[in-house]
Amino acid sequence: MGFFSRKEKKKKMDEGLKKTRKGFFASILDMLNAGDIDDSLYDDLEEQLILADTGADQAARLVERLRECIRKNHIKTAADALTALKEIIQEELEPEAPMNLSGHPAVILVIGVNGVGKTTSIAKLANLYKEQGKKVMLAAGDTFRAAAAEQLSIWAERVDVPVVRHAEGADPAAVIFDAVQSAAARGYDIVICDTAGRLHNKQHLMNELAKISRSVAKACPTASVESLLVLDAITGQNAINQAAQFVSAANATGIILTKLDGTAKGGSVISVKQKLGLPVRFVGLGEGVDDLMEFSAEDFVQALFAQDV
């Protein structure tokens, strides 16, 4: 089997979260394994969650939910409180519904500012779906950044998938129209589209992405569309705050969180869904082409609070 088994995914998540686990979450684990349940525990827990980059509002909310759970269920030990906290975090992170890849083809627009790992995430996403037996095509819809299409083409060659590209400065909607039309005619399952990573004004961004969505519908009425926003886990709360305007403008449906293995503050994962109203769909856990994983709330929480492996 080309793609990761469940056991391999859990192991990869464990390894990818080592920095986070050894950082602030080690303190939380020690605190909840050894401490008494009292006001100082709640205060310390909230402080550590904030330091782990969950964000002040989300940290306060998690602690309040934990306090209520402990009261309601008459929890007496800190170890049981840890179990309750893990369940609360997992519940917070679970998506309401899976990604909609039912279209023929399924179109995934990948959006986000330059420098967050957008192009490499597209290649890794293509590789992931290809390993699952899907026929994948790329569309070089970032026609504004010099050499963006060339960079995507190099990655497409590495993962052995075709890419549709036009000349630099071409209309992005036209590129994506051609890609979707070609994919539909040739029986491809998924089209993954790069988009411009410039910081536009909000109206310009909305207009451009709306035009792209219309071009997808015109190219193939049976296509489905998901818009995934790429965020850099290392910049944490700053990335989330910056992304808020992007989300509303781009009608994003999910998050790709890159470089999660490179930070001790992986708590930003916990606040993404609450702050942006979007589920984390994929996480980047390394530089390799196979280091992008479908996000599992259960595996993430277990890895976050695992005894060090």
Side-chain angles (χ1 to χ4, degrees):
M1 184 169 65
F3 52 96
F4 291 121
S5 68
R6 179 69 194 277
K7 185 176 180 181
E8 288 170 328
K9 284 181 179 179
K10 291 181 76 171
K11 183 180 179 184
K12 202 163 187 65
M13 185 71 83
D14 280 343
E15 291 171 352
L17 285 175
K18 265 186 180 176
K19 283 188 178 178
T20 291
R21 187 169 54 249
K22 286 181 175 180
F24 300 104
F25 279 89
S27 301
I28 292 171
L29 191 63
D30 291 342
M31 191 189 310
L32 287 173
N33 274 329
D36 297 320
I37 299 175
D38 54 23
D39 286 340
S40 66
L41 175 73
Y42 293 125
D43 291 342
D44 291 344
L45 176 59
E46 185 172 338
E47 181 182 349
Q48 289 300 316
L49 285 168
I50 292 170
L51 290 171
D53 216 24
T54 61
D57 292 346
Q58 180 69 341
R61 210 164 73 87
L62 287 172
V63 170
E64 189 52 43
R65 282 197 64 187
L66 179 63
R67 191 193 293 266
E68 178 60 21
C69 180
I70 286 171
R71 185 196 62 77
K72 184 178 177 181
N73 296 297
H74 309 291
I75 291 173
K76 302 296 183 186
T77 69
D80 287 340
L82 173 60
T83 300
L85 179 62
K86 287 161 68 174
E87 289 173 353
I88 289 166
I89 293 174
Q90 182 176 329
E91 182 187 312
E92 295 256 331
L93 292 175
E94 291 286 0
E96 280 76 26
M99 279 181 65
N100 177 16
L101 299 177
S102 63
H104 303 285
V107 178
I108 301 173
L109 305 178
V110 182
I111 60 180
V113 298
N114 290 329
V116 294
K118 187 160 56 78
T119 307
T120 53
S121 292
I122 290 168
K124 291 175 182 181
L125 196 57
N127 184 70
L128 185 150
Y129 283 126
K130 189 183 170 209
E131 292 285 297
Q132 293 178 6
K134 306 286 188 186
K135 288 184 71 177
V136 182
M137 181 181 290
L138 304 185
D142 183 354
T143 60
F144 297 101
R145 184 169 64 89
E150 183 63 31
Q151 186 183 7
L152 191 68
S153 296
I154 291 168
W155 275 107
E157 190 174 335
R158 285 185 197 173
V159 299
D160 194 23
V161 297
V163 59
V164 173
R165 56 184 288 190
H166 287 188
E168 190 175 314
D171 182 359
V175 178
I176 292 169
F177 177 93
D178 286 352
V180 173
Q181 196 171 60
S182 174
R186 295 164 61 189
Y188 275 72
D189 301 300
I190 296 175
V191 183
I192 305 172
C193 309
D194 193 9
T195 63
R198 299 171 305 156
L199 278 171
H200 322 57
N201 65 60
K202 186 173 179 178
Q203 192 59 48
H204 186 178
L205 177 63
M206 288 176 74
N207 293 344
E208 187 174 296
L209 291 168
K211 185 178 179 183
I212 287 171
S213 293
R214 289 195 300 273
S215 76
V216 170
K218 286 178 184 175
C220 182
T222 61
S224 58
V225 180
E226 289 270 351
S227 297
L228 299 181
L229 175 64
V230 182
L231 296 180
D232 181 339
I234 292 174
T235 53
Q237 292 301 309
N238 288 336
I240 295 170
N241 293 333
Q242 184 187 59
Q245 63 176 2
F246 228 93
V247 169
S248 59
N251 197 26
T253 56
I255 299 293
I256 299 174
L257 199 61
T258 64
K259 307 174 191 175
L260 190 57
D261 59 311
T263 177
K265 294 187 172 186
S268 60
V269 177
I270 299 170
S271 59
V272 163
K273 186 164 180 277
Q274 186 260 332
K275 279 201 167 185
L276 300 180
L278 297 174
V280 176
R281 294 299 191 186
F282 300 92
V283 288
L285 295 167
E287 296 296 321
V289 74
D290 60 351
D291 286 330
L292 187 77
M293 286 179 51
E294 291 180 76
F295 180 72
S296 160
E298 180 182 356
D299 291 350
F300 173 79
V301 171
Q302 292 303 322
L304 202 58
F305 290 102
Q307 300 294 338
D308 209 6
V309 291

